Amino acid sequence: MNLEGISEKICDKLIFSSYVDEANEIKSLMTKLLTLDKSDPARISAIDNLISRCHPKWLGDYYINNVTYKEWTDLITDFKKKLIQSK
């Protein structure tokens, strides 16, 4: 799955579990990542912000309905790897 697909999956799961604000923030940061020039400081900042969320004490702390903790953390880990590759 590509970076955009993973972010959409994360946002869908967050919304389904009533974390709408967090999902909207991730969508906003992803828009910057996908639309700005690769060297744009706002794009780099968005990537760094998203990477910081891929932590057990941030996104990993959310309870996601109908998803095991391992499935959720594996998804977050995949997201982080793709974000690092997009730098």
Side-chain angles (χ1 to χ4, degrees), residues 50-61 69 72-73 76 80:
L50 287 165
I51 289 171
S52 71
R53 292 167 192 254
C54 297
H55 190 279
K57 296 290 183 184
W58 194 323
L59 286 175
D61 265 355
Y69 184 73
W72 180 237
T73 56
I76 294 168
K80 183 176 183 177

Side-chain angles (χ1 to χ4, degrees), residues 66-81:
N66 301 322
V67 176
T68 67
Y69 184 73
K70 181 174 179 354
E71 291 171 333
W72 180 237
T73 56
D74 286 351
L75 185 61
I76 294 168
T77 300
D78 289 344
F79 189 44
K80 183 176 183 177
K81 287 178 186 175

